Amino acid sequence: MEEISKLKLYPHQEKAIEYLKQFKSCLIGDDMGLGKTFEGSEMLNYYANNINLVVCQKSKITDWLNHFKQYYDFYVWDLTKKKELYSFIDDNLLQSKDFISVGVINYDLLIRRPELFNLTNFTLLLDESSEIKNEHSKRGKFVLKMNPKNVILLSGTPMNGKFEELWSQLKLLGWQISRELFDNQYMDYKTDYSLGFPRKVFLGYKNKERLLRKLHDYGGVFRKTEEVFELPQQLHQEIKIPTSKNYLKYEQKHVLSLPTKVMVGDNPLTDRLNKKELCGIYSLEKVQAYQDLINSTNDRMIVFYNYVAELETLEKVTNKPMSYVNGSKKDLTNYEEKENSITFVQYQSGSMGINLQKANRMIFFTPPDGNSIHFEQAMKRIHRIGQNKTCFYYYLIVENSIEEEIYKTLDVRKYFNQELFRKENEK
């Protein structure tokens, strides 16, 4: 075994662990950066089952393996490797009382490992448990049919106005409430037909105090960063970009011929995508505003974007050292070494799970389309423990465009979340 380091906990972590010890399962729904990994692993150690299964995002497998090897005297298995998977299964069959065995696997591979479905008397730890929010998906069905002795759920979702996505996780905690009853009692929706088909649009929460009480009763703890640590101030600046002639032309006829492509909004989804592109890579004014902004400082800057085409456009006008976090590349060398670096981060790949607090300036080139989780968590990449400078956020927003609608939706979602916790924190 490798030499074990002493695990040091903050007071808020110790307090949470003591509270959660009364439950056989728990949900740790804190902000990113508050140490859910440490709390989750300590609860796993407290339950003391011989067999433990950790399911996480693919990018976090190495982090979890190293965490258990560094702080615990466990047998640790990388279940993405067939040989180690079989050793882990053998441990489960033996159910030895002499050691604790922990296997780590990612969500996508889990459903292709039927051997794991037959585990018994084990602890199941789900990191970013919102990955099973859809109970009808393959991963959702697989996990919900497993039979763990104890469950530990780690999620930043509750702190970002997404309680409506918690039903499958609450079922794992033992709350036997139907999806229909859960929605009827605690969620307020309306039916929207603007995209040509009916879809449920979330309006807010009902019976908020009762919902929070039930969540606590089933082993849930929820804390925002500012409740635990005194972090630097956040300053937000909207940079208004004039609406382009091309955007106005397209908005009138839903057809536009550009030198590189022809845009035709023949259905609501395509129409929405075209408008977003006209506010992004096809907005020369926005690209110029971005260039002016990065050239106005020699500080590190983080830039969030959506599509590969946006990155390609931004790279062409960036004359500083560049780093990347996206679906095909993670290279933070220049971020680590160069004070004037620009780090391009794609929402889906980098809004969660990375620490970028060496920087204190962030640009939102385009917004995530209505995804408040990616939006809220993106801001947390620099505003977290270890940050000692004021954090500046710059929003490049095309006036009178779909972007204003998207940001309005994101603000509404944030307001619902703040309201949900405001009265609870005043008690």
Side-chain angles (χ1 to χ4, degrees):
M1 286 286 183
E2 299 178 10
E3 184 177 349
I4 306 300
S5 301
K6 183 179 170 96
L7 188 120
K8 297 180 181 179
L9 298 174
Y10 288 102
H12 77 272
Q13 294 172 320
E14 293 177 342
K15 183 179 179 181
I17 291 167
E18 283 305 309
Y19 171 75
L20 294 174
K21 284 181 178 179
Q22 65 184 295
F23 302 98
K24 65 175 292 187
S25 296
C26 61
L27 166 61
I28 304 172
D30 293 344
D31 265 345
M32 288 284 185
L34 288 185
K36 293 192 293 291
T37 297
F38 291 92
E39 295 169 356
S41 62
E42 279 294 276
M43 288 304 298
L44 182 147
N45 190 39
Y46 171 75
Y47 290 140
N49 289 314
N50 298 112
I51 299 299
N52 303 271
L53 177 64
V54 175
V55 187
C56 62
Q57 296 166 325
K58 187 177 181 179
S59 61
K60 300 297 290 294
I61 288 176
T62 301
D63 293 341
W64 273 107
L65 292 171
N66 291 338
H67 175 80
F68 285 119
K69 290 175 183 178
Q70 180 177 355
Y71 294 110
Y72 299 93
D73 188 18
F74 296 164
Y75 284 84
V76 183
W77 307 101
D78 180 353
L79 302 187
T80 65
K81 300 175 181 179
K82 277 288 186 73
K83 186 176 180 179
E84 296 198 28
L85 171 68
Y86 296 141
S87 297
F88 177 75
I89 296 299
D90 288 342
D91 284 352
N92 179 64
L93 294 175
L94 292 173
Q95 285 291 308
S96 170
K97 301 298 181 184
D98 298 327
F99 62 85
I100 293 178
S101 188
V102 179
V104 182
I105 195 169
N106 57 295
Y107 283 95
D108 289 331
L109 194 55
L110 173 68
I111 60 177
R112 300 200 295 272
R113 294 289 185 265
E115 301 93 334
L116 297 173
F117 190 77
N118 297 318
L119 292 178
T120 58
N121 297 317
F122 72 104
T123 294
L124 174 65
L125 189 156
L126 300 183
D127 188 17
E128 295 302 335
S129 56
S130 59
E131 292 283 343
I132 64 158
K133 64 185 179 184
N134 180 2
E135 66 270 24
H136 302 297
S137 67
K138 289 182 179 179
R139 65 176 61 166
K141 289 179 179 178
F142 189 98
V143 171
L144 288 173
K145 288 182 179 179
M146 297 180 81
N147 188 31
K149 182 179 179 181
N150 303 97
V151 175
I152 303 167
L153 306 177
L154 309 182
S155 177
T157 294
M159 302 310 298
N160 293 280
K162 287 285 187 177
F163 277 90
E164 67 274 21
E165 296 181 353
L166 275 178
W167 180 81
S168 57
Q169 298 162 71
L170 296 173
K171 187 173 182 180
L172 282 175
L173 295 180
W175 188 359
Q176 299 301 318
I177 182 173
S178 69
R179 161 67 81 175
E180 182 180 8
L181 182 57
F182 181 77
D183 286 350
N184 289 339
Q185 286 194 357
Y186 301 109
M187 310 298 152
D188 191 12
Y189 293 94
K190 74 172 182 179
T191 303
D192 177 62
Y193 295 90
S194 63
L195 295 179
F197 55 86
R199 64 187 184 105
K200 293 172 68 175
V201 177
F202 175 76
L203 297 176
Y205 299 108
K206 302 183 292 187
N207 305 315
K208 293 179 290 187
E209 290 78 10
R210 182 167 39 145
L211 173 58
L212 275 176
R213 187 169 62 252
K214 292 291 287 187
L215 292 170
H216 285 299
D217 289 345
Y218 279 92
V221 292
F222 314 98
R223 292 160 300 185
K224 294 189 74 66
T225 307
E226 54 267 28
E227 297 169 15
V228 178
F229 294 100
E230 187 174 344
L231 292 176
Q233 184 180 9
Q234 293 174 293
L235 297 179
H236 305 266
Q237 181 180 350
E238 292 186 359
I239 300 175
K240 295 293 188 178
I241 311 298
T243 313
S244 68
K245 292 182 180 179
N246 280 335
Y247 189 94
L248 295 174
K249 287 181 181 177
Y250 177 82
E251 198 169 35
Q252 288 179 348
K253 299 182 179 180
H254 300 280
V255 175
L256 181 68
S257 180
L258 298 172
T260 56
K261 69 182 294 186
V262 176
M263 289 185 168
V264 179
D266 52 358
N267 63 68
L269 295 178
T270 303
D271 184 60
R272 188 175 182 86
L273 178 60
N274 289 340
K275 288 179 178 178
K276 288 168 62 179
E277 287 188 344
L278 287 168
C279 290
I281 58 175
Y282 294 113
S283 173
L284 300 179
E285 295 86 355
K286 177 180 279 194
V287 174
Q288 183 62 57
Y290 158 79
Q291 196 171 12
D292 293 342
L293 194 54
I294 65 169
N295 290 333
S296 68
T297 180
N298 282 320
D299 292 345
R300 287 181 179 86
M301 300 195 84
I302 311 299
V303 180
F304 270 91
Y305 69 96
N306 281 288
Y307 308 117
V308 174
E310 292 177 17
L311 174 61
E312 293 172 347
T313 299
L314 295 174
E315 284 178 311
K316 292 176 183 177
V317 298
T318 301
N319 57 358
K320 295 186 175 185
M322 292 176 274
S323 280
Y324 305 88
V325 179
N326 55 49
S328 59
K329 185 177 184 180
K330 182 178 181 181
D331 181 0
L332 293 174
T333 303
N334 285 324
Y335 161 79
E336 295 288 350
E337 299 177 357
K338 305 293 179 62
E339 291 186 1
N340 66 334
S341 62
I342 306 296
T343 301
F344 297 108
V345 184
Q346 196 170 28
Y347 285 106
Q348 290 187 332
S349 300
S351 63
M352 300 182 184
I354 59 173
N355 300 326
L356 298 173
Q357 65 266 42
K358 277 191 175 183
N360 69 315
R361 298 180 185 273
M362 181 176 290
I363 299 173
F364 292 94
F365 183 71
T366 52
D369 194 357
N371 193 322
S372 60
I373 291 181
H374 288 316
F375 185 56
E376 291 288 310
Q377 293 301 333
M379 286 188 276
K380 295 289 184 183
R381 297 312 95 214
I382 62 174
H383 193 248
R384 56 196 301 111
I385 301 170
Q387 179 61 265
N388 54 22
K389 297 180 181 178
T390 299
C391 293
F392 297 89
Y393 301 92
Y394 306 95
Y395 308 89
L396 306 183
I397 306 175
V398 175
E399 294 181 294
N400 303 312
S401 74
I402 192 172
E403 286 194 333
E404 289 189 336
E405 297 176 15
I406 292 173
Y407 276 111
K408 182 178 179 181
T409 300
L410 294 171
D411 285 341
V412 168
R413 177 73 71 178
K414 183 178 180 181
Y415 168 78
F416 285 141
N417 182 49
Q418 291 172 341
E419 279 294 295
L420 183 62
F421 284 92
R422 181 176 59 83
K423 290 185 178 180
E424 179 69 15
N425 293 333
E426 288 175 354
K427 293 179 181 179

